Amino acid sequence: MRSIILKARLEWPLIALLITACASQIPPMIRKAPPDNPPLEEVRGNAADYLARQVRWGGKLIETENRENATWLTVLASSLSKDGEPNLSDDSGGRFIAIVPEFLDPTVYAADREVTVTGTLRRTETRKVGEFPYTYPVVEAQAWYLWPKETRVPYGYPYPGWYDPWYGPWYHDPWYPFGYPYWR
């Protein structure tokens, strides 16, 4: 009986540790979109109808601008997956500005990094993109998540995760110099 109690005392913390190890590091406000999340294209067309609404948008960072009390992130929007990660696509719904109420290092939040923002749509602001006047929806961020940099593995042999034991200078063809008998 005593060994059963001791075993149960050891199993439950192990189970709890395994469950928490599988937990996501993505904030819940980023993972779950607001129920009436409007697309950026609709908001840009008629921003007055969407003011003070909760939105979840994301995409690639264009610019990080630190101001006295906040950081302004200019983002090129893209569609989001169900957990809020920006999809890899050339298709964009436009640009938006996210106002984050704290200092974000521009070296970390650099151009071409992916970010997702959840917040309240406050207003629009017109800035120039080149010579073109562009209307940016401005989101007051309540939660934001900088996605990890994507690491790409070079394609082709030798790939460090795969090893072919039948290829290389140490492999001796038993049929050499006659070649493999194809009639078999």
Side-chain angles (χ1 to χ4, degrees):
M1 180 72 171
R2 187 177 181 127
S3 65
I4 293 173
I5 293 171
L6 182 61
K7 189 184 271 188
R9 285 186 184 172
L10 294 174
E11 287 175 357
W12 285 110
L14 182 62
I15 291 170
L17 180 69
L18 288 173
I19 289 173
T20 57
C22 297
S24 174
Q25 301 299 317
I26 304 168
M29 287 183 75
I30 297 294
R31 267 187 285 140
K32 188 170 182 183
D36 56 349
N37 188 35
L40 181 60
E41 299 89 358
E42 287 181 23
V43 173
R44 285 196 58 240
N46 195 5
D49 292 345
Y50 297 100
L51 293 179
R53 296 242 325 246
Q54 285 288 113
V55 296
R56 181 185 75 167
W57 293 333
K60 284 194 182 276
L61 279 169
I62 298 172
E63 180 185 18
T64 302
E65 179 185 344
N66 284 307
R67 298 211 175 168
E68 188 175 336
N69 296 325
T71 301
W72 288 40
L73 302 175
T74 305
V75 182
L76 178 65
S78 63
S79 61
L80 302 178
S81 65
K82 69 177 185 170
D83 66 344
E85 185 173 8
N87 292 323
L88 199 60
S89 171
D90 289 335
D91 203 18
S92 173
R95 298 174 177 212
F96 69 95
I97 295 173
I99 301 176
V100 178
E102 64 182 54
F103 173 80
L104 299 178
D105 194 328
T107 306
V108 176
Y109 285 78
D112 291 332
R113 290 290 304 268
E114 292 181 335
V115 68
T116 303
V117 176
T118 299
T120 308
L121 186 64
R122 290 295 176 206
R123 64 182 184 278
T124 59
E125 184 171 306
T126 302
R127 292 182 174 186
K128 289 201 172 205
V129 177
E131 294 297 317
F132 185 79
Y134 190 86
T135 303
Y136 290 85
V138 178
V139 176
E140 189 176 292
Q142 294 158 349
W144 57 94
Y145 186 74
L146 183 68
W147 295 92
K149 286 183 181 177
E150 186 177 308
T151 56
R152 296 187 183 208
V153 177
Y155 179 74
Y157 191 82
Y159 175 64
W162 179 75
Y163 169 72
D164 185 1
W166 306 111
Y167 183 78
W170 52 88
Y171 174 70
H172 174 68
D173 183 6
W175 294 98
Y176 179 80
F178 305 109
Y180 184 77
Y182 291 105
W183 60 86
R184 286 186 163 195

